[in-house]
Amino acid sequence: MAYVRNAWYVASWVQDVSSDKPYALSILDEPLVLWRAEDRWIALEDRCSHRLAPLSLGRVEGDSLRCMYHGLRFSTEGKCVEIPGQETIPAQARVKTYPIVEKHSWLWVWMGDPALADVSLVPPAVGFDDPDWILGRGFLDYQAEARLINDNLLDLSHASYVHANSFQGGDVYALERPQLETLSRGVRFSRWTTDVPGSIIRQSDEKVDAYMRYDFLIPGVLLMWTGQFPAGTAAACNFEKPDYSMAIGGVTFTSQAVTPTGDKTSRYFFSWGPHRNHGDEALRDFLLGVAQQAFAEDKVMIEAQQQVIDRTASPSIVAIAHDRGPILFNRLVEQLAQDESSRPIA
Amino acid sequence: MAYVRNAWYVASWVQDVSSDKPYALSILDEPLVLWRAEDRWIALEDRCSHRLAPLSLGRVEGDSLRCMYHGLRFSTEGKCVEIPGQETIPAQARVKTYPIVEKHSWLWVWMGDPALADVSLVPPAVGFDDPDWILGRGFLDYQAEARLINDNLLDLSHASYVHANSFQGGDVYALERPQLETLSRGVRFSRWTTDVPGSIIRQSDEKVDAYMRYDFLIPGVLLMWTGQFPAGTAAACNFEKPDYSMAIGGVTFTSQAVTPTGDKTSRYFFSWGPHRNHGDEALRDFLLGVAQQAFAEDKVMIEAQQQVIDRTASPSIVAIAHDRGPILFNRLVEQLAQDESSRPIA
Amino acid sequence: MAYVRNAWYVASWVQDVSSDKPYALSILDEPLVLWRAEDRWIALEDRCSHRLAPLSLGRVEGDSLRCMYHGLRFSTEGKCVEIPGQETIPAQARVKTYPIVEKHSWLWVWMGDPALADVSLVPPAVGFDDPDWILGRGFLDYQAEARLINDNLLDLSHASYVHANSFQGGDVYALERPQLETLSRGVRFSRWTTDVPGSIIRQSDEKVDAYMRYDFLIPGVLLMWTGQFPAGTAAACNFEKPDYSMAIGGVTFTSQAVTPTGDKTSRYFFSWGPHRNHGDEALRDFLLGVAQQAFAEDKVMIEAQQQVIDRTASPSIVAIAHDRGPILFNRLVEQLAQDESSRPIA
């Protein structure tokens, strides 16, 4: 299956990249080096044009990056600007650059046509600079293709089985299908669970109506909000989106981003935490613990699934009703990827 | 080289499979899940028809097995009988079943045409339920194709070299060839060693005549009996099979089964121990220690041999006289495999 | 890129091979077994002609080597001279032999036409038997093709970057190019560094002129001499080779040999130490520590370079002025390899 190239891929939590050392990461199997020039982030091909040593073993020198094999120095535009021991610099001594932007505490890299890189297409996540939310974060490396993780996140019915221990959501995720809506670059899911004693996020003595909504956006970014409301709220707002100022607790936000690093490898970034009015650092730490348990459960299942797929001659799936989310999203991916390949690169 | 599919392959010692958790194993590179239904063992393709997650990560529920990714539930016939959240079940939601039988403490799986699965073809091993024998058991995983282990067991002349330390059998295995007889589904080896002071199994003050006989049967099962007799017995019975009631000691039984798990991987199952009239648990433990040393010696040699083969452009062997056993058995395998491929699957 | 076959490849430091046990090593991806017959070293194909077990798991028996799988015994000429349990020995029961010679404490194996094996082509290294030098030694295994290590040694400009910490040579290696001269089977580099306070080999209170010269010879052997001289010596001898009897210190010798073991693996052998008049065991140990740090720096860079190359569709380099050494040497390799392939093997 194709991936969309004209999209912003999460390369890293910005907190995980030092401002004075280059950082290596592959996206769509292309080796990249990220580094901090004097006033901005730079993403270059991680391959010196001289002898193909990785620039990520190099040294940041102000607005340039020096290869530490034979000393070639590259500008923020990927142009070689110094070759020690010689005067002239051949024109081919340059490396590819990638648009990169820091937003919502993530570094995003545009893998397609640079002329089309549009910052407004960065998914509207919530960063650590947002005073309303108390977030924790992490990432996991998968030995599995990103598409399998996307499919997992596009159908939460698996929560009833894979996450029976961690999220303790019971049968409801498997038995009832969420509301589903297509977006221009993704799919939106929402679900009311009515008259329940809260959830793992917040146990409640009185019964509540719990709401959750998430967008899953190109190339593979999940943004989810949850909240608990007085019993009856779901019906009162006609099972549509509630007014969050009416929430009595359990208001949290999580963002999750799936980045295909190689053909069969991925990095899975995540944050989670409560709204400042509905929790504190202790709740954040508890939620992060639950998330780490749950994401480990997914990893076991998805990596095992990948191994079975790899051993299957002509792998094909038998779709079920819960696959409507994955089907809609993957159709969108196919459409965008096809549009790209038929459009000449500027 | 081909393998015979219409044959019972050892999948496990029955003691190693829990009756309430599914068990994963590959045979002939096909992923299988074994599980205990209410009154019998079941072997299914280890691949959910929905999204190819392994059913071996699933949950046994009475006479059915539930995939723990999205909850599909399969019957003992491999038919999906429940898809959470939907009413109808597509006909393609089914997985392949394999005939399986428990016998002689082994679980045997038939890898060929189910219509031809014939329990009478299970090799006549000795199980732990047989009160006459005091057995120990184990298994080893090999990074080598099963054929190489079969070849090893089909020519015990290697004992003089590979097992000089463990079995201490001296030169006789290399210098004298065993009697050899073809069976309908295997080869039978027998050997008298006369006038010797016993063997590693039982050292003897007076000289004895030692007898051993083993059948090596399709697909790769060795069944061996040994015994020590008064000197002169070999000649007295014309170097044929003796009457075991005349044995003065050293009566043991070992079964060894070689299962090709993948293209270049195998699992090697074994048991060994004395007849109750000729030994006890202490002798069994001693023999098992000797076996474990010896099988480790084989493993070093065979895995190294596999590596050399893998690095050889057109690997071919120069047969010697001792190869008569491997040649006869492999000819039988080729013949049976060829018969299978020319016969339409029912 | 091709390798020259008609050349002596270093197989081992002779000290690392026991005289009573066979030793396994691959050169040019061919598995070899080295062993000590009664009065000389033998190199055979490491693959028994019977069933392809490695002879390196065998046993040295005087002037023969016994395979310890089924006991075949091979002569120093690679001919099978015994098959246990049978009288006649088929003519195909023989393994390939390779010319091998011990010289300068190294075992050298000729990988080409045995008829052309010429001991005078062994590079004139310095062995541990030479009383003039106090040497230490070692080797490193690389996950990289030998050519990349050769290229590294053929352009020491990398010392200014890769070895900034270990050798502390400063910018001079990158900024000034060495003198360069072609040899019939290699390239010679020399360099005067004038008016400097010594080097890592020997810090000096008064300023000195430092000289170094190395030959890099087919198939991949570096022989280097260094020395420090009174300031002014370089100019006095017209920047040619000095008279070493005038040296005031820092006289050392190092040999380094790069052996391609597999397609993408290599073994890198090295020695280093002072001349007896200019140092002692303590200096040797210090130098060896510096070398081990430096060679680890190279290994990190070169293995990373190999990984980038492996991920690059059509890897090509952009040559710089410092590449003159690698270009000359690789051109020689190509020429010799081409000569070989057009010449019929005797």
Side-chain angles (χ1 to χ4, degrees):
Chain A
M1 206 191 93
Y3 287 99
V4 177
R5 294 196 66 92
N6 285 324
W8 294 103
Y9 284 85
V10 171
S12 183
W13 288 109
V14 69
Q15 301 97 314
D16 294 340
V17 181
S18 155
S19 64
D20 53 9
K21 280 203 295 193
Y23 184 87
L25 179 85
S26 291
I27 301 181
L28 294 174
D29 215 21
E30 297 185 16
L32 305 181
V33 53
L34 312 186
W35 53 286
R36 179 80 194 171
E38 273 163 16
D39 61 359
R40 66 198 183 289
W41 292 102
I42 304 294
L44 301 179
E45 174 187 4
D46 190 15
R47 177 165 31 212
C48 180
S49 36
H50 173 218
R51 286 190 170 275
L52 292 74
L55 295 175
S56 52
L57 291 181
R59 184 168 66 199
V60 175
E61 301 185 0
D63 257 350
S64 63
L65 178 63
R66 188 184 295 277
C67 178
M68 285 300 278
Y69 198 173
H70 300 94
L72 278 71
R73 197 160 54 82
F74 293 87
S75 73
T76 54
E77 287 80 38
K79 208 167 157 306
C80 179
V81 290
E82 182 192 346
I83 299 180
Q86 80 185 64
E87 295 295 313
T88 60
I89 295 174
Q92 321 94 286
R94 60 181 311 138
V95 297
K96 188 175 171 183
T97 66
Y98 296 80
I100 180 171
V101 63
E102 174 183 348
K103 210 160 179 189
H104 314 308
S105 306
W106 268 332
L107 293 175
W108 305 82
V109 174
W110 182 265
M111 295 301 293
D113 180 355
L116 303 176
D118 176 354
V119 174
S120 75
L121 292 177
V122 171
V126 172
F128 285 74
D129 50 345
D130 188 321
D132 285 347
W133 301 91
I134 302 171
L135 300 174
R137 69 186 165 82
F139 71 83
L140 271 177
D141 280 323
Y142 264 76
Q143 296 295 319
E145 49 188 314
R147 185 183 59 82
L148 297 183
I149 312 175
N150 291 350
D151 289 344
N152 171 283
L153 296 170
L154 286 154
D155 170 14
L156 296 196
S157 78
H158 76 270
S160 298
Y161 306 101
V162 178
H163 305 310
N165 293 322
S166 54
F167 287 140
Q168 300 174 17
D171 279 354
V172 63
Y173 279 85
L175 299 182
E176 295 174 19
R177 296 209 286 276
Q179 287 187 294
L180 209 152
E181 184 185 342
T182 54
L183 308 173
S184 65
R185 284 177 75 86
V187 183
R188 173 167 295 170
F189 303 77
S190 53
R191 177 192 295 270
W192 276 105
T193 315
T194 55
D195 217 33
V196 288
S199 71
I200 189 88
I201 297 172
R202 172 179 176 271
Q203 306 298 338
S204 170
D205 287 336
E206 83 272 44
K207 295 293 181 71
V208 299
D209 286 0
Y211 182 72
M212 59 104 75
R213 196 194 79 189
Y214 69 98
D215 294 348
F216 195 83
L217 303 169
I218 297 288
V221 178
L222 176 150
L223 308 176
M224 184 190 295
W225 290 261
T226 67
Q228 294 178 6
F229 298 83
T233 304
C237 63
N238 203 20
F239 288 84
E240 297 294 326
K241 185 186 175 196
D243 174 358
Y244 268 85
S245 69
M246 313 271 295
I248 55 178
V251 179
T252 72
F253 171 78
T254 170
S255 59
Q256 300 170 28
V258 183
T259 297
T261 48
D263 188 28
K264 300 260 174 79
T265 58
S266 309
R267 186 163 286 179
Y268 178 49
F269 301 90
F270 57 88
S271 71
W272 199 15
H275 190 279
R276 190 164 296 276
N277 297 342
H278 297 279
D280 54 12
E281 282 72 10
L283 178 56
R284 175 200 62 196
D285 293 346
F286 168 74
L287 293 178
L288 215 63
V290 172
Q292 274 158 344
Q293 182 186 350
F295 298 159
E297 291 162 343
D298 283 320
K299 187 169 145 76
V300 166
M301 182 60 77
I302 293 171
E303 290 184 343
Q305 180 195 14
Q306 178 75 67
Q307 288 182 30
V308 176
I309 290 172
D310 289 347
R311 300 178 59 183
T312 303
S314 305
S316 68
I317 70 172
V318 173
I320 64 174
H322 277 298
D323 283 316
R324 207 176 140 226
I327 287 170
L328 284 176
F329 184 78
N330 289 329
R331 197 175 290 163
L332 176 63
V333 169
E334 293 285 4
Q335 187 57 53
L336 290 173
Q338 197 178 316
D339 291 353
E340 281 176 7
S341 61
S342 56
R343 178 201 305 157
I345 293 287
Chain B
M1 205 189 95
Y3 287 99
V4 177
R5 294 195 65 92
N6 286 324
W8 294 103
Y9 284 85
V10 171
S12 183
W13 288 109
V14 70
Q15 301 97 313
D16 295 340
V17 180
S18 156
S19 66
D20 53 8
K21 279 201 299 192
Y23 185 87
L25 180 84
S26 291
I27 301 182
L28 294 175
D29 215 21
E30 297 184 17
L32 305 181
V33 54
L34 313 185
W35 54 286
R36 179 82 194 170
E38 273 163 16
D39 61 359
R40 66 199 185 289
W41 292 101
I42 303 294
L44 301 180
E45 175 186 1
D46 191 15
R47 178 167 30 214
C48 180
S49 36
H50 174 216
R51 287 193 169 275
L52 292 75
L55 295 175
S56 52
L57 291 182
R59 184 168 68 197
V60 175
E61 300 185 1
D63 257 350
S64 63
L65 178 63
R66 187 185 295 279
C67 178
M68 285 300 277
Y69 198 173
H70 300 94
L72 278 71
R73 197 161 53 83
F74 292 87
S75 73
T76 55
E77 288 80 35
K79 207 167 156 309
C80 179
V81 291
E82 181 192 345
I83 298 179
Q86 79 185 65
E87 293 296 314
T88 60
I89 295 174
Q92 320 95 286
R94 59 181 312 138
V95 297
K96 188 175 171 183
T97 66
Y98 296 80
I100 180 171
V101 63
E102 175 183 347
K103 210 161 180 187
H104 314 309
S105 306
W106 267 331
L107 293 175
W108 305 81
V109 174
W110 183 265
M111 296 302 293
D113 180 355
L116 303 176
D118 176 354
V119 174
S120 74
L121 292 178
V122 171
V126 172
F128 285 75
D129 49 347
D130 188 320
D132 286 347
W133 302 92
I134 303 172
L135 300 174
R137 68 185 164 81
F139 71 82
L140 271 177
D141 280 323
Y142 264 76
Q143 296 295 318
E145 50 188 315
R147 185 181 62 79
L148 297 183
I149 311 175
N150 291 350
D151 289 343
N152 170 283
L153 295 170
L154 285 155
D155 171 14
L156 295 196
S157 78
H158 77 270
S160 298
Y161 306 101
V162 178
H163 305 309
N165 293 323
S166 53
F167 287 139
Q168 300 174 18
D171 278 355
V172 64
Y173 280 85
L175 298 183
E176 294 174 19
R177 295 208 287 275
Q179 288 187 294
L180 207 152
E181 185 184 340
T182 56
L183 308 173
S184 66
R185 283 175 77 85
V187 183
R188 173 167 295 171
F189 303 78
S190 52
R191 177 192 296 270
W192 276 104
T193 316
T194 56
D195 217 34
V196 288
S199 71
I200 188 88
I201 297 172
R202 172 181 176 271
Q203 304 299 339
S204 169
D205 287 336
E206 81 273 45
K207 293 293 181 70
V208 298
D209 285 358
Y211 182 72
M212 60 102 76
R213 196 194 79 188
Y214 70 97
D215 293 350
F216 195 82
L217 303 169
I218 296 288
V221 177
L222 176 150
L223 308 176
M224 184 190 295
W225 289 262
T226 66
Q228 294 178 7
F229 298 83
T233 304
C237 62
N238 204 20
F239 288 84
E240 297 294 325
K241 186 187 175 194
D243 174 359
Y244 268 86
S245 70
M246 311 271 295
I248 55 177
V251 178
T252 72
F253 170 78
T254 170
S255 58
Q256 299 169 29
V258 183
T259 296
T261 49
D263 187 29
K264 299 261 175 80
T265 59
S266 310
R267 187 163 284 181
Y268 177 50
F269 301 92
F270 57 88
S271 71
W272 199 14
H275 190 279
R276 188 164 298 278
N277 297 343
H278 297 278
D280 52 13
E281 281 72 9
L283 178 55
R284 176 201 60 195
D285 293 345
F286 168 74
L287 293 177
L288 214 62
V290 172
Q292 273 158 345
Q293 182 186 350
F295 298 159
E297 291 162 343
D298 283 319
K299 187 168 144 77
V300 166
M301 183 61 78
I302 292 170
E303 291 184 343
Q305 179 194 15
Q306 178 75 68
Q307 288 181 29
V308 176
I309 290 172
D310 288 347
R311 299 178 60 182
T312 304
S314 305
S316 68
I317 70 171
V318 173
I320 65 174
H322 277 298
D323 283 315
R324 208 178 138 224
I327 287 169
L328 284 176
F329 184 79
N330 289 329
R331 198 176 289 162
L332 177 63
V333 169
E334 292 285 3
Q335 188 58 52
L336 291 172
Q338 198 178 316
D339 291 353
E340 281 177 6
S341 61
S342 55
R343 179 201 305 158
I345 294 287
Chain C
M1 206 191 95
Y3 287 99
V4 177
R5 294 196 65 93
N6 286 324
W8 294 102
Y9 284 85
V10 171
S12 183
W13 288 109
V14 70
Q15 301 98 313
D16 294 339
V17 181
S18 155
S19 65
D20 52 9
K21 280 203 296 194
Y23 184 87
L25 179 84
S26 291
I27 302 182
L28 294 174
D29 215 22
E30 297 185 16
L32 306 181
V33 54
L34 312 186
W35 54 286
R36 179 82 194 171
E38 274 163 14
D39 62 358
R40 65 198 184 289
W41 292 102
I42 303 294
L44 301 179
E45 176 186 2
D46 191 15
R47 176 165 32 211
C48 180
S49 36
H50 173 216
R51 286 192 170 276
L52 291 75
L55 295 175
S56 52
L57 291 182
R59 183 167 68 197
V60 175
E61 299 185 1
D63 256 351
S64 62
L65 178 63
R66 188 184 295 278
C67 178
M68 285 299 279
Y69 198 171
H70 300 95
L72 279 70
R73 197 161 54 83
F74 293 87
S75 73
T76 55
E77 288 80 37
K79 208 168 157 304
C80 179
V81 292
E82 181 193 344
I83 299 180
Q86 80 184 64
E87 295 295 313
T88 60
I89 295 174
Q92 320 94 286
R94 60 181 311 137
V95 297
K96 188 174 172 184
T97 66
Y98 296 81
I100 180 172
V101 64
E102 174 184 348
K103 210 159 180 187
H104 314 308
S105 306
W106 268 330
L107 293 175
W108 305 81
V109 174
W110 182 265
M111 296 301 294
D113 180 355
L116 302 177
D118 176 353
V119 174
S120 75
L121 292 178
V122 171
V126 172
F128 285 75
D129 50 346
D130 188 321
D132 285 347
W133 301 92
I134 303 172
L135 299 175
R137 68 186 165 81
F139 71 82
L140 270 177
D141 281 324
Y142 265 76
Q143 297 295 318
E145 51 187 314
R147 184 182 61 79
L148 297 184
I149 312 175
N150 291 350
D151 288 343
N152 170 282
L153 296 170
L154 285 155
D155 171 14
L156 296 196
S157 77
H158 76 270
S160 297
Y161 306 101
V162 177
H163 305 310
N165 293 323
S166 55
F167 287 139
Q168 300 174 16
D171 279 355
V172 64
Y173 280 84
L175 298 182
E176 294 175 18
R177 296 208 287 276
Q179 287 188 294
L180 208 153
E181 184 184 342
T182 56
L183 308 173
S184 65
R185 283 176 77 85
V187 182
R188 172 167 296 170
F189 302 78
S190 53
R191 177 192 294 270
W192 277 105
T193 316
T194 54
D195 217 34
V196 288
S199 71
I200 188 90
I201 298 172
R202 172 180 176 271
Q203 306 298 339
S204 170
D205 287 337
E206 81 273 45
K207 294 293 181 70
V208 299
D209 285 0
Y211 182 72
M212 60 103 76
R213 196 193 78 189
Y214 69 98
D215 293 349
F216 195 83
L217 302 169
I218 296 289
V221 178
L222 176 150
L223 308 176
M224 185 190 294
W225 290 262
T226 66
Q228 294 177 8
F229 298 83
T233 304
C237 64
N238 204 20
F239 288 85
E240 297 294 326
K241 186 187 174 194
D243 175 358
Y244 268 84
S245 69
M246 311 271 296
I248 55 177
V251 178
T252 72
F253 171 78
T254 170
S255 58
Q256 300 169 28
V258 183
T259 296
T261 49
D263 187 28
K264 299 262 175 79
T265 58
S266 310
R267 186 163 285 181
Y268 177 51
F269 301 92
F270 57 87
S271 72
W272 198 15
H275 191 279
R276 190 162 297 276
N277 297 343
H278 298 279
D280 52 14
E281 281 72 10
L283 178 57
R284 176 200 61 196
D285 293 345
F286 168 74
L287 292 178
L288 215 63
V290 172
Q292 274 158 343
Q293 182 187 350
F295 297 160
E297 291 161 344
D298 283 320
K299 187 168 144 77
V300 165
M301 183 62 77
I302 292 170
E303 291 184 343
Q305 180 194 15
Q306 178 75 69
Q307 288 181 29
V308 176
I309 289 171
D310 289 348
R311 300 179 59 183
T312 304
S314 306
S316 68
I317 70 170
V318 173
I320 65 174
H322 278 297
D323 283 315
R324 209 177 138 224
I327 287 170
L328 284 174
F329 184 80
N330 289 329
R331 198 177 287 162
L332 177 63
V333 170
E334 293 285 4
Q335 187 57 51
L336 291 172
Q338 196 178 318
D339 291 353
E340 282 176 6
S341 61
S342 56
R343 179 200 304 156
I345 293 286

